[in-house]
Amino acid sequence: LPPLTPAALSVTCTCFSEARVKLCMTNCPTLIVMVGLPARGKTYISKKLTRYLNWIGVPTKEFNVGQYRRECLKIYKNFEFFRPDNEEGLKIRRQCALSALNDVRQYLCMEGGQVAVFDATNTTRERRDTITRFAEQNGFKVFFVESVCEDPDVIAENIVQVKLGSPDYIDCNTEEAVADFMKRIKCYENSYQPLDEGLDRELSYIKIMDVGRRYLVNRVLDHIQSRIVYYLMNIHITPRSIYLCRHGESDLNVRGRIGGDSGLTSRGKEYAKSLGHFIQEQNIKDLKVWTSQMKRTIQTAEALAVPYEQWKALNEIDAGVCEEMMYEEIQEHFPLEFALRDQDKYRYRYPKGESYEDLVQRLEPVIMELERQENVLVICHQAVMRCLLAYFLDKSAEELPYLKCPLHTVLKLTPVAYGCKVESIFLNVEAVNTHRDKPENVDISRPTEEALLTVPAHQ
Amino acid sequence: MRERGSLSAAKGALLARQHVVGAERAHPDAPAEDLGSMVGTCLHFSLFTNSPTVIVMVGLPARGKTYISKKLARYLNWIGVNTAVFNLGQYRREAVQTYKNYEFFRPDNEEAMKIRRNCASNALTDIGAYFTKEQGQVAVFDATNTTRERRGLILSFAKEKGYKVFFVESVCDDPDIIEQNIMQVKLSSPDYENCDKEEALEDFLKRIECYKMTYVPLDEEKDRHLSYIKIFNVGSRYLVNRVQDHIQSRIVYYLMNIHVTPRSIYLSRHGESDLNLLGRIGGDSGLSTRGQMYASALAAFVQSQSIRDLKVWTSHMKRTIQTAEALGVPYEQWKALNEIDAGMCEEMTYEEIQGHHPEEFALRDQDKYRYRYPKGESYEDMVHRLEPVIMELERQENVLVICHQAVMRCLLAYFLDKSADELPYLRCPLHTVLKLTPVAYGCKVESIFLNVQAVNTHREKPPNVDINRKTEDALQTVPEHV
């Protein structure tokens, strides 16, 4: 066998299956089909699910039929477009759905996609049969996600959060928009055929009722569907904030050394105190505090004088043979490795260590629990924080290893509409910079100066 | 909210106790001063449980309640959540001594009703004791619990004590499955010791009829405030209501991944490696000549078994990959299946470990399950990292897992319900395949040595585990090597 060097790992095996880091999630592609009346959270779920699947490494894309309709129609007049007796409207809507399915086929068959999320109401059995036939013809598995909700408060909140800001209502005032949207919902109500326990017992689906109070799960076929169900059953929409920050500045930080398990510098301890004050000022309800099992995060949490939990999964990336080295030393002793890492920082695995890709896998249970929880402060490390941040802000594998997560800065993430609001709060205690940008020259035969061009200053 | 009361109690807990997975304690290398300052606020794991949880099984006889109870308890214990099953049938057998026939279960049998109610009461009392005196975290109340009245009794009991309740109802109307169940587990029950098969079957069916008359399933409307999962027809459909917390979410996920399709799981280590021969632990060496012979023998074995749709899994380490390559079939690599990371002791012989780190060596012998190599892992860490592997093994059917000694011990402990104390000493010799086949409530194990000699890598716990022990005492049980 050829040697298992990190970058070469993906091409090393002559075995039949791909030498992937993770379990092969899917053999045939999966088509997730959303079902539900307007304002039931379908797009919210679609986007969130897509973000999660991409983060764990399953290429996923959402296809929102409403967008196709907007492109086709250009101008939305009012709810009458959606009247079930509007022949012209029905024709256009059907065409849009087919056009979207066409793009789905393109994505799954030719662009390397593994999961496509078909985001539309899909409220009639007829429409769902069309989709099922389409999937069968193309060898896709189908999994329906139906959102059922009759709580008028939840629906009203949805409309306010995401519909009023829609391009459809750009020129309307709030009252008009709400009134029109309610009439739009009415247009769908009469022809709505929910997934039925009897008639649809051969289909694979999850029915989400009342924003997650109750679920009906039918015929989960494979691993990816099982993971999707688990994820959907753990997310919630209760308002809350997640605070991400690194430990206070550590002794190894100031010396420009990576990894290790050192304690805080005096500035780091000052930061920990400031963090304590910050938390107090924020007056956060039932805040949970999580740290890794490394001294520097634990010492930081100790200063808060509140209960905290340690997760081994939050430990910093293991730099293997490069642990506790400065970049200059890595360049001196392992110039090849150093270059390979710059070539593919996400997938590169330190010899006897880990890659960012490995980190994501080990952080998945943390993300799952973050989804379950409400207000949480996570005190972690640079690479770990980049991974978590990439999940919340939907950053690609290419961007992830270069996200800026400076010391002594808290990122407050608050879910809003379909995404996440980020507030960056620097707690006014100076710290060394530990961010190394990707240098221009990543060639394995590059001269030392070019390799070390972007190394931040240190003692 | 603090989990522990006094400072010293917490400190004691920090240094000694068993932890649930994710219940992370301070790094063993943490200097003394950190330890002191850490004690007041570090939680010992609220993630799994704050209040204890009672899982209440619901369903007619022969619906798989005991099967689910035992399997769930095995899983929870393996991931570090102290769980016990309380089977009402056993209480009844102790109270009644001799089972005559189904008439005992007739709803109009007042005498019997009284006995059964007493049994339930006793079981609940024992559950209380399990939580308060034995550090139990989850109790599975395995009984039919088919009436609203009985479930109400349990809910009141739990409410009074501050326990959470999660119902697991198994609904099945497929007569084939029910008959299968009866054949597999009921006919051999103590109740039917002196009956022939036909008699037993007939009596049991009448028993089921007795329950049917008063069976009130969990109702979507009336029971909408309860937390439960309803399993239909062995998992083709699930209804999940009001999952309250992390442990309930994990339980639901687990229940939704298990199945009863017959299959076998084959566990084996890689072929003998070069480092094995030298008596060195860890590392990433290739196979020795004999190891390669084993790989070929394994291939022949797999072929001879004619296994349907066999999946083959390996770790990311050379020795398992080389072993799989000889099979000539597709295989998948899991980083999670990599051998335990021995940190600073990687690639050392036990003699060298004793020479350089005698105290660590002794500490490991004192608590091999929880001991974490400096800059390495513990068996406890490994169980945590292997959990997704177990979950996927549950989903799959026929699988051959080619892994490593410590990894195989963890997996084996899950399937054979071994405790944390037994786990690190389970025997997993090289060149031996363990074929595990689920049967009744447990797992049948067949051990197949593939007739290629290999070095022994099993080190027993020595009698002297004191940190001041002599070198000879420490090395007493080290297996021979080059």
Side-chain angles (χ1 to χ4, degrees):
Chain A
L1 277 181
L4 290 171
T5 57
L9 199 64
S10 56
V11 298
T12 205
C13 275
T14 54
C15 65
F16 293 80
S17 68
E18 280 181 285
R20 293 176 57 83
V21 176
K22 276 198 298 290
L23 174 70
C24 174
M25 297 273 186
T26 51
N27 293 325
C28 36
T30 302
L31 177 58
I32 297 177
V33 182
M34 302 303 300
V35 180
L37 293 172
R40 263 55 177 182
K42 297 185 300 300
T43 301
Y44 175 81
I45 291 170
S46 300
K47 287 182 183 270
K48 211 168 155 73
L49 188 54
T50 300
R51 175 161 60 86
Y52 168 70
L53 291 173
N54 278 313
W55 186 75
I56 61 171
V58 181
T60 306
K61 192 168 170 193
E62 29 134 8
F63 297 82
N64 177 284
V65 174
Q67 244 151 269
Y68 284 75
R69 187 259 306 157
R70 273 183 281 275
E71 256 153 70
C72 186
L73 257 203
K74 301 297 185 208
I75 304 182
Y76 172 76
K77 258 167 77 184
N78 59 30
F79 78 96
E80 308 242 356
F81 178 78
F82 291 98
R83 284 177 56 157
D85 56 0
N86 182 346
E87 293 272 350
E88 178 80 25
L90 285 171
K91 219 168 92 178
I92 294 174
R93 290 156 72 193
R94 199 180 156 70
Q95 261 167 23
C96 288
L98 292 175
S99 177
L101 285 179
N102 219 16
D103 288 353
V104 164
R105 182 198 354 249
Q106 169 88 359
Y107 176 66
L108 295 179
C109 295
M110 285 170 270
E111 291 173 29
Q114 275 178 329
V115 177
V117 184
F118 190 57
D119 179 18
T121 49
N122 298 316
T123 39
T124 61
R125 187 154 281 116
E126 187 225 345
R127 172 57 55 84
R128 297 195 292 269
D129 285 345
T130 303
I131 298 169
T132 308
R133 273 196 308 276
F134 160 84
E136 264 163 35
Q137 278 163 13
N138 289 287
F140 306 150
K141 285 185 179 165
V142 181
F143 188 74
F144 293 94
V145 177
E146 181 174 26
S147 174
V148 175
C149 180
E150 293 315 315
D151 185 337
D153 292 328
V154 175
I155 295 166
E157 180 63 33
N158 277 358
I159 297 177
V160 166
Q161 276 238 355
V162 295
K163 300 299 179 185
L164 300 187
S166 151
D168 290 346
Y169 296 110
I170 243 178
D171 299 316
C172 300
N173 70 31
T174 307
E175 264 90 62
E176 290 170 348
V178 173
D180 184 85
F181 201 83
M182 298 301 279
K183 291 197 193 114
R184 209 155 114 177
I185 298 179
K186 271 256 163 299
C187 295
Y188 284 90
E189 269 174 12
N190 288 335
S191 56
Y192 181 23
Q193 296 164 302
L195 289 170
D196 181 81
E197 268 175 54
L199 294 169
D200 296 311
R201 65 183 169 282
E202 297 298 320
L203 301 180
S204 296
Y205 65 84
I206 179 171
K207 210 191 249 272
I208 304 170
M209 293 166 273
D210 292 321
V211 205
R213 192 146 302 158
R214 198 158 84 242
Y215 305 91
L216 184 63
V217 180
N218 200 62
R219 291 195 187 272
V220 170
L221 293 180
D222 61 16
H223 180 93
I224 191 68
Q225 290 181 16
S226 162
R227 292 286 287 276
I228 288 165
V229 164
Y230 185 42
Y231 181 72
L232 293 177
M233 287 175 50
N234 280 318
I235 60 181
H236 68 78
I237 54 168
T238 310
R240 51 81 173 253
S241 290
I242 294 168
Y243 299 78
L244 300 181
C245 81
R246 290 166 68 186
H247 51 82
E249 184 190 66
S250 74
D251 288 322
L252 286 180
N253 284 149
V254 295
R255 289 154 61 199
R257 296 182 173 280
I258 66 173
D261 193 16
S262 58
L264 301 180
T265 61
S266 41
R267 295 197 299 193
K269 291 184 185 145
E270 231 188 286
Y271 169 72
K273 279 215 275 278
S274 300
L275 185 61
H277 293 144
F278 172 74
I279 294 300
Q280 280 220 344
E281 280 159 31
Q282 288 273 308
N283 230 346
I284 309 156
K285 184 172 91 88
D286 292 335
L287 180 70
K288 298 267 164 74
V289 178
W290 296 352
T291 70
S292 71
Q293 286 193 286
M294 301 181 131
K295 286 200 202 96
R296 50 201 190 275
T297 56
I298 294 171
Q299 281 178 13
T300 308
E302 279 285 316
L304 305 182
V306 296
Y308 60 92
E309 287 187 47
Q310 301 176 24
W311 290 70
K312 187 170 192 277
L314 285 172
N315 279 5
E316 182 57 316
I317 191 171
D318 183 356
V321 300
C322 298
E323 274 286 315
E324 299 198 41
M325 286 187 163
M326 297 184 295
Y327 289 120
E328 292 84 346
E329 288 169 353
I330 301 176
Q331 168 62 18
E332 188 188 331
H333 298 287
F334 306 106
L336 174 64
E337 297 296 329
F338 201 38
L340 287 175
R341 184 161 206 254
D342 283 338
Q343 288 179 16
D344 190 357
K345 196 175 177 190
Y346 183 73
R347 273 160 220 91
Y348 172 84
R349 193 184 279 163
Y350 283 107
K352 304 198 170 168
E354 294 177 298
S355 63
Y356 271 93
E357 193 171 23
D358 294 329
L359 257 201
V360 161
Q361 203 181 31
R362 103 159 127 84
L363 285 167
E364 201 263 350
V366 176
I367 286 295
M368 197 62 87
E369 190 54 24
L370 274 172
E371 284 295 345
R372 288 197 55 79
Q373 292 286 346
E374 292 183 21
N375 293 315
V376 186
L377 163 64
V378 184
I379 304 172
C380 54
H381 305 267
Q382 183 167 249
V384 170
M385 189 161 158
R386 284 170 171 156
C387 292
L388 299 178
L389 198 57
Y391 167 75
F392 288 109
L393 301 186
D394 202 17
K395 298 295 183 185
S396 68
E398 278 62 51
E399 300 168 280
L400 187 160
Y402 296 101
L403 293 175
K404 282 199 187 286
C405 294
L407 287 164
H408 300 188
T409 307
V410 179
L411 290 185
K412 177 179 177 180
L413 305 167
T414 311
V416 71
Y418 294 138
C420 225
K421 179 174 86 168
V422 194
E423 293 164 68
S424 171
I425 307 120
F426 173 60
L427 290 194
N428 232 342
V429 179
E430 290 305 312
V432 72
N433 170 30
T434 60
H435 184 95
R436 177 176 168 268
D437 267 316
K438 179 171 178 170
E440 286 192 23
N441 190 348
V442 300
D443 202 79
I444 55 176
S445 48
R446 63 190 173 176
T448 298
E449 316 86 71
E450 289 181 39
L452 299 177
L453 197 62
T454 55
V455 171
H458 59 86
Q459 278 172 13
Chain B
M1 186 177 65
R2 307 226 169 155
E3 288 285 280
R4 300 267 187 266
S6 70
L7 218 60
S8 55
K11 192 172 198 163
L14 197 73
L15 293 172
R17 272 286 308 164
Q18 170 177 2
H19 304 294
V20 297
V21 173
E24 323 288 12
R25 64 174 194 274
H27 195 288
D29 283 356
E33 85 251 10
D34 283 3
L35 214 61
S37 64
M38 253 187 284
V39 153
T41 49
C42 177
L43 276 185
H44 275 288
F45 216 29
S46 65
L47 206 59
F48 275 124
T49 51
N50 290 323
S51 25
T53 302
V54 182
I55 297 176
V56 181
M57 301 304 299
V58 180
L60 293 171
R63 262 61 176 177
K65 297 186 300 301
T66 300
Y67 176 82
I68 291 170
S69 299
K70 287 179 183 260
K71 210 170 155 76
L72 189 54
R74 177 162 59 87
Y75 167 70
L76 290 173
N77 278 311
W78 185 74
I79 61 172
V81 180
N82 293 340
T83 306
V85 178
F86 296 81
N87 176 283
L88 203 52
Q90 247 150 268
Y91 283 78
R92 188 259 306 156
R93 274 186 278 276
E94 258 154 70
V96 172
Q97 296 298 323
T98 319
Y99 173 74
K100 260 172 67 190
N101 61 31
Y102 78 95
E103 307 238 355
F104 180 84
F105 293 97
R106 286 176 54 160
D108 56 0
N109 186 339
E110 295 248 1
E111 171 96 23
M113 278 303 202
K114 225 165 91 179
I115 296 173
R116 291 159 73 189
R117 221 174 285 127
N118 266 344
C119 287
S121 206
N122 290 339
L124 288 179
T125 304
D126 286 353
I127 287 175
Y130 176 63
F131 288 150
T132 47
K133 301 196 193 119
E134 294 177 56
Q135 281 121 6
Q137 284 163 308
V138 175
V140 185
F141 189 43
D142 178 19
T144 50
N145 296 317
T146 39
T147 61
R148 185 157 275 121
E149 184 225 347
R150 171 57 57 81
R151 298 196 289 267
L153 180 77
I154 301 167
L155 284 165
S156 309
F157 163 81
K159 186 164 173 191
E160 188 196 313
K161 307 271 188 178
Y163 306 149
K164 286 185 181 170
V165 178
F166 188 74
F167 293 94
V168 177
E169 181 172 25
S170 175
V171 176
C172 182
D173 46 26
D174 183 336
D176 292 327
I177 298 179
I178 294 165
E179 189 170 313
Q180 260 275 343
N181 279 359
I182 298 177
M183 302 297 281
Q184 276 233 352
V185 294
K186 299 298 177 187
L187 301 188
S188 53
S189 148
D191 290 344
Y192 296 110
E193 239 169 8
N194 301 316
C195 300
D196 74 44
K197 275 205 201 139
E198 256 82 66
E199 287 175 352
L201 184 58
E202 206 187 304
D203 183 85
F204 200 84
L205 290 172
K206 291 204 189 106
R207 209 154 115 176
I208 298 178
E209 289 306 312
C210 293
Y211 281 92
K212 272 193 185 167
M213 297 185 236
T214 53
Y215 180 23
V216 180
L218 287 171
D219 184 81
E220 271 188 47
E221 213 4 76
K222 298 211 186 99
D223 295 312
R224 67 183 176 284
H225 294 297
L226 301 182
S227 295
Y228 64 84
I229 178 170
K230 231 190 226 272
I231 306 172
F232 295 90
N233 286 329
V234 205
S236 69
R237 195 161 87 245
Y238 305 89
L239 183 63
V240 181
N241 199 62
R242 287 191 188 266
V243 170
Q244 292 171 44
D245 60 15
H246 180 94
I247 191 65
Q248 290 179 18
S249 160
R250 292 285 286 274
I251 288 166
V252 164
Y253 184 41
Y254 182 72
L255 292 177
M256 288 176 46
N257 280 317
I258 61 180
H259 66 78
V260 294
T261 311
R263 51 81 174 253
S264 289
I265 294 169
Y266 300 78
L267 300 182
S268 148
R269 289 167 68 186
H270 51 82
E272 183 190 68
S273 74
D274 289 323
L275 285 181
N276 285 149
L277 280 173
L278 298 173
R280 295 184 174 281
I281 65 172
D284 194 15
S285 58
L287 300 181
S288 64
T289 317
R290 299 196 297 193
Q292 280 161 14
M293 275 169 67
Y294 172 70
S296 309
L298 184 60
F301 170 75
V302 166
Q303 278 228 348
S304 72
Q305 289 272 305
S306 268
I307 310 159
R308 191 176 80 91
D309 292 333
L310 178 72
K311 298 263 165 76
V312 178
W313 297 353
T314 69
S315 69
H316 270 268
M317 300 180 132
K318 284 201 201 96
R319 51 202 189 275
T320 58
I321 294 171
Q322 282 179 14
T323 308
E325 277 286 317
L327 303 181
V329 297
Y331 61 91
E332 288 183 52
Q333 300 176 25
W334 290 69
K335 187 169 192 277
L337 285 171
N338 279 5
E339 182 57 317
I340 190 171
D341 183 355
M344 293 193 329
C345 300
E346 275 286 314
E347 299 198 40
M348 287 184 165
T349 59
Y350 289 119
E351 291 85 350
E352 285 168 359
I353 300 176
Q354 169 63 19
H356 295 119
H357 310 286
E359 188 173 312
E360 294 296 326
F361 201 38
L363 286 174
R364 186 161 205 253
D365 282 339
Q366 289 178 15
D367 190 357
K368 197 175 176 190
Y369 183 73
R370 271 159 224 93
Y371 172 84
R372 193 184 277 166
Y373 282 108
K375 303 199 171 169
E377 295 178 297
S378 63
Y379 272 92
E380 191 173 27
D381 294 328
M382 284 228 294
V383 160
H384 194 45
R385 109 158 124 83
L386 285 167
E387 203 260 351
V389 177
I390 287 294
M391 197 62 87
E392 190 54 23
L393 276 173
E394 286 294 347
R395 287 198 54 79
Q396 293 287 344
E397 293 186 20
N398 293 317
V399 186
L400 163 63
V401 184
I402 302 172
C403 55
H404 306 265
Q405 184 166 248
V407 171
M408 190 161 158
R409 284 171 171 156
C410 292
L411 298 179
L412 198 58
Y414 167 75
F415 288 108
L416 302 186
D417 203 16
K418 298 295 183 186
S419 67
D421 294 317
E422 300 172 278
L423 188 160
Y425 297 101
L426 293 176
R427 281 190 183 281
C428 296
L430 286 164
H431 298 188
T432 308
V433 180
L434 289 185
K435 177 179 177 182
L436 305 167
T437 312
V439 71
Y441 293 138
C443 223
K444 178 173 86 167
V445 195
E446 292 166 69
S447 171
I448 307 122
F449 173 59
L450 290 194
N451 235 341
V452 179
Q453 289 306 319
V455 73
N456 170 32
T457 58
H458 186 94
R459 177 176 169 269
E460 286 290 356
K461 180 172 179 169
N464 189 348
V465 299
D466 200 79
I467 53 174
N468 298 313
R469 62 190 175 174
K470 301 195 287 276
T471 298
E472 314 91 72
D473 285 347
L475 299 177
Q476 196 178 334
T477 55
V478 172
E480 282 189 22
H481 56 87
V482 161

